[in-house]
Amino acid sequence: MLKYVCLVIVLQTLWMVQAEAPAYIKQCHRDDPKLVDCFMGAIEHLKPYLASGIPEIQLPSVEPFKMDSLALQLTEGPQGYKITLKNMEAFGASNFQVKSLKLTENNEPFKAKIVMPKLKIEAKYTSSGVLLILPASGGGDFHAVFEGVSADLTGKTSVRASKGANYLHIDSLSLVLDVKDVKMSISGAFNNNRILLEATNLFLRDNSQIVLEAMQSQLQKKLASEFGKLANQLLKNVPIEQFYVN
């Protein structure tokens, strides 16, 4: 009789945990022969919630996706041209598609590939040094459009127990970014000096891939860090038993 009562309690508990899965969670079953496809679908299911944010778990909207600053040295020498971007905001991060997913197995890292058709970046811009023989120190607004964006993510996870439930945690995450086409420009800089604005925009137009390469290492680290924070904010509020069910 006692065993029966215990079994009923366990089953009721499991049913309650699964039944209480929030709307933003798409559940996947352990015995699903297409488990990877289910997890990819569960990530896609999150897209509208990531776009609007999930206030009940303090998950901010990724529209825009915010980063702090990047510092770039674009030309060499004592008067080399330097750019600092601050208060960066990326628009379009929620419009992603999961192209592939490899789950963690035998302590190996998980891998995923996501693509985004377009990312629009806005930032505050300051510069110093000489550009195309012109002194080009100033500040203004920076604009960029990345098209054909793909990101290869690699990370490691662990399971943490808390308050009678298990939670997945991303311990490390790295990201490799590939951008097929990029356009960059500035506005409102140099007190709207037309010559300096045109010279800077000419440089950015003709050297956008070089500028992207200069910012890529920092950008990848910042994106990986922010993605990891967002993912863990979600995961620490959703027990594994709610999205990975028997």
Side-chain angles (χ1 to χ4, degrees):
M1 181 65 179
L2 181 59
K3 289 183 179 179
Y4 174 76
V5 171
C6 290
L7 178 60
V8 169
I9 292 173
V10 169
L11 290 174
Q12 285 181 333
T13 301
L14 288 173
W15 179 84
M16 289 175 64
V17 168
Q18 294 177 17
E20 291 172 0
Y24 51 85
I25 294 300
K26 179 180 182 292
Q27 293 181 329
C28 293
H29 293 266
R30 295 175 187 271
D31 58 356
D32 188 342
K34 295 184 177 180
L35 183 60
V36 170
D37 290 342
C38 183
F39 278 132
M40 290 171 64
I43 297 171
E44 294 271 355
H45 176 77
L46 278 168
K47 287 164 63 172
Y49 299 97
L50 294 175
S52 61
I54 309 175
E56 59 265 36
I57 61 170
Q58 293 81 51
L59 188 76
S61 167
V62 299
E63 297 293 351
F65 186 81
K66 297 183 179 182
M67 294 172 284
D68 48 13
S69 63
L70 295 177
L72 314 174
Q73 176 85 42
L74 298 181
T75 61
E76 300 299 327
Q79 297 296 316
Y81 186 55
K82 300 176 184 177
I83 293 177
T84 299
L85 302 177
K86 294 183 178 180
N87 302 326
M88 298 177 67
E89 295 184 333
F91 299 83
S94 66
N95 186 26
F96 64 84
Q97 182 181 5
V98 184
K99 299 297 288 185
S100 64
L101 176 65
K102 180 181 180 293
L103 301 177
T104 298
E105 189 175 3
N106 299 323
N107 290 323
E108 292 183 356
F110 72 84
K111 295 184 178 181
K113 185 182 188 71
I114 62 173
V115 297
M116 290 166 279
K118 181 184 289 188
L119 275 180
K120 180 182 176 184
I121 295 178
E122 301 287 336
K124 291 299 180 182
Y125 157 96
T126 57
S127 64
S128 63
V130 174
L131 178 65
L132 303 176
I133 75 170
L134 296 172
S137 296
D141 297 313
F142 174 85
H143 320 281
V145 177
F146 295 174
E147 294 186 325
V149 180
S150 65
D152 291 305
L153 297 100
T154 303
K156 290 192 173 183
T157 61
S158 61
V159 176
R160 300 182 177 185
S162 177
K163 298 179 181 179
N166 295 307
Y167 295 85
L168 194 65
H169 183 269
I170 295 178
D171 299 324
S172 64
L173 185 67
S174 62
L175 180 151
V176 177
L177 199 65
D178 182 71
V179 181
K180 289 185 178 179
D181 186 52
V182 57
K183 296 180 177 66
M184 299 179 182
S185 64
I186 63 166
S187 63
F190 314 118
N191 294 317
N192 289 315
N193 181 300
R194 184 178 61 83
I195 294 174
L196 285 176
L197 272 174
E198 289 182 359
T200 303
N201 281 325
L202 175 65
F203 175 84
L204 291 173
R205 185 187 69 201
D206 292 346
N207 298 279
S208 57
Q209 284 292 343
I210 294 173
V211 176
L212 176 61
E213 289 173 10
M215 69 164 60
Q216 196 150 354
S217 176
Q218 294 180 66
L219 185 60
Q220 288 174 165
K221 289 178 181 178
K222 289 183 181 294
L223 284 171
S225 175
E226 294 302 321
F227 281 157
K229 290 176 185 177
L230 282 170
N232 281 328
Q233 182 63 28
L234 172 68
L235 292 170
K236 77 177 186 179
N237 286 282
V238 183
I240 293 174
E241 294 83 1
Q242 282 191 348
F243 64 85
Y244 189 31
V245 301
N246 291 319

